Amino acid sequence: MHFFLRLSLKMMRLRKTTISVIVVLFVVLCSTLAFLLEPETFHHWFNALYWVLTTMATVGYGDYYAATVPGKILTIFIYIFGIGLLSLVIGKVIESFGSMQRQRGAGRLNFKGSGHVIIINWSKKAMSAIDEILSYSPQSEIVVIDDSSRHPVEHLEQVHFVSGDPASDDVLMRANILEAKSAIVFADARIDESALVDGKSLLIVSSIERIAPDVHTTVEIMQEKHVQNFRHNQVNEFVLSHDAVSRLAVRAALQEGNSDVLMQLLSRQHGDDIYEVALNPAWKTYGDAFQDLLRQGATLISDRSDLSINRKLDLPIPRDARLYVVSDEATMNRISGKLV
């Protein structure tokens, strides 16, 4: 009994690959031995393999069984060691799943996908961003990078978590920054001094731009005077945190209903939204595009950041134009289908 206990403990310490090799060898050898002992019973080596597997799995259909004393001794041997080996393999598989889940929760697993959105620094804003991304595309994959030790939204399967310093090259590579679609850097709410917050964000985007300059970066900035520092690092988009909230509050106070319009444009979940529309070769001027889109139920509002195109309707549309419209999703899908 002591021998079997020590043997079991040693087997439990073996690596999964070693156990897999032992199980395969055990099955092959037992199948070969069974066929050699009773060729008239099994007729073929594959039948002996089938019998060994059903015996190890305790299924025992009874269509094949050992008839000789050596064969029955082999059967007892398989009962004692084979079933134990199979149980050990099943235990290792369950342990692997549990270990993987624990590593996922602790943010120690590398992300292998591509075309994902990386969200850096966890906060309520980050959670709102995830909700907004998933409302646009429920199948989108998102990677959260934060220096906390637990997955903030473990219940969302499409959200992966990487724990560590977001400015570290190693952590960014674990999030597969090279194949990411975009990265959003939120201000770290755990830092009180706004200058230090922007300093940390600047360090993070500097690392991103150095490693993966093609990734589209959006950064939340606390102080407007720091914008030039971020612009120098080729950041694509800026969001002025306090200023945006303050201006929205003032507009709500001075112009009733103004904030409702802005909130609709900021959130896909309510009302119309802003979409980029592909250029139609039939459009020669901004006026052509404006009238055609209006007939289809969308309103052309800008070419990139130029909101004055309604005063330039006679001007030709540049080849590198990026036109944006206000529309609902159904109308935009219909327009996109016609332009494809």
Side-chain angles (χ1 to χ4, degrees):
M1 187 67 181
H2 183 64
F3 167 77
F4 287 111
L5 179 60
R6 286 199 303 170
L7 181 62
S8 299
L9 291 174
K10 288 182 178 180
M11 292 292 290
M12 288 296 291
R13 296 191 192 102
L14 291 176
R15 297 174 62 181
K16 289 185 284 291
T17 52
T18 304
I19 293 176
S20 300
V21 171
I22 291 174
V23 171
V24 171
L25 289 176
F26 181 87
V27 171
V28 171
L29 291 174
C30 287
S31 302
T32 304
L33 185 57
F35 179 65
L36 292 175
L37 289 173
E38 299 193 21
E40 69 284 352
T41 298
F42 299 108
H43 305 294
H44 192 278
W45 182 87
F46 181 77
N47 292 334
L49 172 65
Y50 163 77
W51 171 74
V52 169
L53 291 176
T54 55
T55 302
M56 288 180 62
T58 68
V59 177
Y61 291 114
D63 45 355
Y64 293 99
Y65 56 89
T68 65
V69 172
K72 291 179 180 179
I73 293 174
L74 177 62
T75 304
I76 294 172
F77 178 78
I78 294 174
Y79 283 154
I80 295 174
F81 292 98
I83 295 173
L85 274 177
L86 185 61
S87 301
L88 186 60
V89 170
I90 294 173
K92 286 291 184 180
V93 171
I94 295 174
E95 180 187 347
S96 297
F97 279 116
S99 175
M100 187 175 295
Q101 190 63 28
R102 288 191 296 273
Q103 290 185 64
R104 179 179 182 269
R108 292 196 294 266
L109 293 179
N110 295 345
F111 182 76
K112 302 295 185 181
S114 60
H116 53 293
V117 178
I118 297 178
I119 293 179
I120 298 175
N121 291 327
W122 183 252
S123 63
K124 290 182 178 180
K125 296 175 186 176
M127 185 68 248
S128 297
I130 289 175
D131 290 340
E132 193 69 17
I133 292 170
L134 295 180
S135 71
Y136 271 87
S137 177
Q139 303 305 317
S140 293
E141 291 190 288
I142 303 168
V143 178
V144 174
I145 301 179
D146 192 70
D147 54 12
S148 59
S149 58
R150 290 302 305 170
H151 197 313
V153 281
E154 202 164 352
H155 61 284
L156 294 177
E157 289 296 327
Q158 61 267 64
V159 180
H160 188 88
F161 173 56
V162 173
S163 177
D165 179 6
S168 168
D169 291 6
D170 175 64
V171 172
L172 291 172
M173 294 302 288
R174 284 170 53 205
N176 202 8
I177 185 68
L178 295 176
E179 298 187 57
K181 177 182 179 181
S182 59
I184 305 172
V185 181
F186 285 102
D188 193 335
R190 292 160 293 195
I191 302 176
D192 295 329
E193 179 58 47
S194 58
L196 295 178
V197 174
D198 283 347
K200 179 179 179 179
S201 299
L202 183 60
L203 184 61
I204 293 170
V205 295
S206 297
S207 298
I208 294 174
E209 294 297 335
R210 175 172 49 81
I211 298 172
D214 294 332
V215 173
H216 186 280
T217 50
T218 303
V219 185
E220 178 187 10
I221 302 175
M222 302 298 289
Q223 295 184 2
E224 189 171 3
K225 64 182 180 180
H226 296 149
V227 168
Q228 291 304 320
N229 295 327
F230 287 89
R231 200 181 300 278
H232 179 72
N233 279 275
Q234 308 301 317
V235 173
N236 299 98
E237 309 283 350
F238 309 95
V239 177
L240 292 172
S241 180
H242 296 327
D243 288 354
V245 175
S246 300
R247 290 168 183 170
L248 186 60
V250 170
R251 288 175 181 268
L254 298 182
Q255 300 179 20
E256 184 177 349
N258 191 304
S259 62
D260 291 336
V261 175
L262 293 175
M263 287 302 296
Q264 283 193 39
L265 298 179
L266 288 172
S267 175
R268 183 182 177 86
Q269 301 180 45
H270 307 286
D272 285 7
D273 203 351
I274 297 176
Y275 298 90
E276 181 177 0
V277 63
L279 294 177
N280 189 329
W283 300 338
K284 304 303 180 184
T285 65
Y286 286 121
D288 294 338
F290 185 90
Q291 294 299 330
D292 186 32
L293 290 168
L294 191 63
R295 282 193 294 271
Q296 298 181 68
T299 304
L300 180 64
I301 59 171
S302 74
D303 178 359
R304 298 180 187 268
S305 61
D306 184 3
L307 291 168
S308 64
I309 61 172
N310 62 334
R311 297 188 292 275
K312 304 176 181 178
L313 298 181
D314 294 331
L315 295 181
I317 301 175
R319 290 185 177 181
D320 62 344
R322 295 184 61 179
L323 303 182
Y324 292 89
V325 300
V326 174
S327 170
D328 62 12
E329 184 176 7
T331 299
M332 189 59 212
N333 289 338
R334 187 171 63 253
I335 293 173
S336 299
K338 290 183 179 179
L339 293 178
V340 171

